[in-house]
Each structure stands twice: as C-alpha cells, then as structure tokens.
Amino acid sequence: MTNSPFQLSLQTTQGRSPPLSAQIPSSLTPPVTPIAKERPPISTPSRPKDSKTEQTPSISKENAGTLQFTDDLEICHDDNNRSEEFGRGVWSIVYKARSLQRAQPTLPGTPPSSPVSKSQVLAVKAPLRRDARPVLSAEAITLTRLTRTQGHEQYIVPFHGYHAELGALVMTAIPTSLATYIEEQAKLARTRQPITPTMFDPVQGPASYQDLARKLIAGLNWLHQVAGVVHGDIKPHNILLRPIDTDGLSDVPAFPYEPLFADFSATVDIPANADAPVDTTRASMSSFTPPFTAPEMLASLTSSEIAPTPASDIFSLAATLLAAATGDLLLYPNMNHRLRLEMARAGHQIIDFTRSGVSGSRVPRNGPAVVKDPAQRIATPDWVELASA
C-alpha cells in the first residue's frame, strides 16, 4: 500500500487520547493482494565470506534480548478524531503516534523537578489480527539484533523497541516510501515535453537513479554480509526514504534521501554452515508480492519446501530498481492478476517483459541479478563494485 508524504510535526488533539490498546480496531479486514504461504526449513547457501567487508555483527544472534519500548504512547488523530494511519498490510496496521516520556520518581524530601517535555513522532506497527502477534514478536527480535549491528543507522528503519502489552513495534516515523516516490516521479515525467535524448533515461533522471541504486545495493550488501540475514520481502513499499539534510553540504547528493529497509517479518538468518537448515519459523507467515518476488520463491504456492535466500533478495531488489527506472509499480501493466502472476513466475524474463511496455526504452538490455538460476545471479559484493563503476 502506498502512502502520501506527511509532515513530521505533532498532531494536537482535544484532551488526552485513550490508551493505544483501546484504539486498535478489532474488526478490520486485511487486504488480499499479497499471497501468504507457510514454509518448513530447507537448506540454503551459506553467507559468502567477503574479504572486502571487515565489519562483523556486534551481538550474538542466539543471545540477543528484545529491545523494549517503555515510554507512553499517544495516537495522533485527524480533524474528525480518527486515528491516523501510515498504512496497513496482511498482518499489521501502522499508526502515527507520539511518545510521552514517563515522569521520573523523586526521592522523599526533595522538591520535584521541572517537568520535561519530550515528544517524538513515531510509527507504531500493531497486529491487525490475533495470529499476527508471533510474527511481530519475531520481527522485534530481528530488529533488535540489527539495531545492535555496526552500521545499521544508514540502512534500516530506526527501531525504538517492542511494546509487549500491545504486541507492537515502535519505530521512527519516516516521511514516505520508495513506492510513493516512484509514483510521484512518474507523474512528473508525464508532464514534461518528451524529447528523444531523455526517453532512455530513468524517470527520475540518470544521476539520481544511479545514486539510489548504489545506496540500495550497499544496503542489501550490509544485510547479507554484515548482519547475516535475508530480508525476504524487498519491494518499493518496504523501503522508506529519510531526507538528507543538505544544509552546509558542498556536495549535494543526486538522490537526496537515505533509503532504509523496513518490514522484516519475512527475514531469515543466513546460516554460517552451508549444510545447516534455514530457520524459517520467523517467516512462516510472510507475504509475497509479485512481480517483486523471485520466481523460485513463487514455487511456494505449490511446493512447501522453499525459503528466501540471498539470491531471491537480489532478484527482488533488481525488480525494485526496474520499477524505479520505468515509474511503474506493476512492472507488467494492463494485465489481470492471473496473467501478472504467470509472468512473475517466469521472472527471469522480467527485463524482456518490461522492455515491451510503455516505458521499455528506459530498461537495460541485460541484468546479472535476474537470471533464472539463482546460483548464477550476481553476489552483493560484486554488485556493489558494478554499481560504483
């Protein structure tokens, strides 16, 4: 689901809002677009040793305790006193909220301290249905570990902790998603006078697109090589854009945002041993969104022995970059759902499919990240070098 940008400012309400737990609807019907499938463990290639990357995870995966959110939360409301939402999916709904720091107790015989006003705009990802609580709990464990891994600040959404009572994740509110940005750039491109020299450029312009691609590929390399995880559900909707403060910068980036990976509900660990089975319990309720899902992953619709791998992440990011280049989130436009799913199952032809579309001139002729055999896809360290060339 795409969302329009919003200002990072507090929403005042009449009086104090009721507790967050009292505001979460109990009768919401989840969307049906994503396709969910439970998958048992199978073997997957071990995480490759990257001699170029010297960083290592700073906390043991087995001993990571879940980061807890202890401040009070207050949901923001619109002028009609309805809870403000950033979006919703199959398992969760994301509310706009603010934090209210709890007053610190004072010792007997000492005067009370002056009240401290500390409020921050947050995104609260709450369960939309009862069976979603284990999924969010597992995602909190993953986010805790990632947050304690060196270099996380520039690659993942800031995580503030797990609200145990609500079964919710508390994160920094980020202005917009890559999906929204792609739609906005496509709309701008349609308003420009078409000229031959630019018809082969990505809709946002070549310099901005190349900068975006470099940042996203570097982030995926960090997930695989440093954090040691497979994201499992990469798509434009799960990438958030944090504006870069360009004040005082002599070299303004061509793409003035930091793309941050979000939604780790489908994440699995990359085993250190190639023969070790993948623990898919954390991703047992994950969702697929064709055409951003690798074709071998779509086999899970008919086969129960499949799990996300680094290669499937690479395919998904390549499809995301194709959507950014063309300005089309569907990639296969003018198709019904059944035909789009069939084309997604033949995902190794994704470049040919998109080149035959309206914006096909903006698509490259080949791509080492989308070949049919997952073992033959480019690895992230090599992709980083290619993107930087």
Side-chain angles (χ1 to χ4, degrees), residues 217 311 314-315 318 348 350-351 364-380 382-384 386-387:
I217 294 168
I314 289 168
F315 180 97
H348 61 285
I350 189 171
I351 290 181
R365 292 188 177 276
N366 55 61
V370 296
V371 296
K372 184 175 183 179
D373 183 0
Q376 299 301 315
R377 290 176 197 152
I378 191 170
T380 52
D382 297 327
W383 206 7
V384 168
L386 183 63

Side-chain angles (χ1 to χ4, degrees), residues 11 15 31 71 75 133 139 161 222 232 254 269 291-292 315 330 375:
Q11 294 290 324
D71 288 348
I75 289 291
R133 292 181 74 97
E139 186 177 357
W222 178 85
D269 295 339
F292 300 102
F315 180 97
L330 292 178

Side-chain angles (χ1 to χ4, degrees), residues 300-317:
S300 63
L301 300 178
T302 56
S303 171
S304 60
E305 297 192 0
I306 195 70
T309 66
S312 64
D313 266 1
I314 289 168
F315 180 97
S316 297
L317 183 57

